[in-house]
């Protein structure tokens, strides 16, 4: 089954702050298999997007995501 890009992007946004929903939560809400959601997150990470796990603590981010967040925000003021 193929999903429209817009729906895929909307679902991926649920994984990001401030929502930080887990894949099992999103799977139940959206009716999309967990395997598909894990693949979407993996593909987004491969594209260089910051995609934390559903954990809101620093443990929810892999080292590469933490580093990318620092680099991305380094030029911001205050």
């Amino acid at each position: 089954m193929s999903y429209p890009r817009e729906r895929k992007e909307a679902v991926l946004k649920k994984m990001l702050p401030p929502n930080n929903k887990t894949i099992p939560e999103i799977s139940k809400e959206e009716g999309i298999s967990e395997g598909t959601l894990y693949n979407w997150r993996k593909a987004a990470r491969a594209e260089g997007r910051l995609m934390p796990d559903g954990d809101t603590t620093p443990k929810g981010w892999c080292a590469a995501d933490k580093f990318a967040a620092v680099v991305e925000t380094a030029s911001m003021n205050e």
Side-chain angles (χ1 to χ4, degrees):
M1 172 184 263
S2 180
Y3 293 93
R5 183 166 177 82
E6 296 82 19
R7 180 161 188 219
K8 185 176 175 179
E9 290 301 318
V11 171
L12 286 172
K13 283 183 182 179
K14 291 183 178 189
M15 296 179 194
L16 299 172
N19 301 315
N20 288 349
K21 291 189 177 186
T22 64
I23 286 182
E25 290 174 330
I26 297 170
S27 177
K28 287 180 184 177
E29 284 179 13
E30 298 289 334
I32 301 171
S33 75
E34 289 184 25
T36 298
L37 296 174
Y38 282 113
N39 286 336
W40 289 359
R41 183 177 69 186
K42 183 178 178 181
R45 284 179 172 165
E47 293 172 357
R49 295 171 59 184
L50 301 177
M51 297 299 300
D53 293 333
D55 189 352
T56 58
T57 66
K59 294 178 185 176
W61 292 71
C62 70
D65 285 347
K66 290 177 187 177
F67 180 72
V70 170
V71 170
E72 187 174 313
T73 59
S75 65
M76 294 181 170
N77 292 341
E78 296 181 35

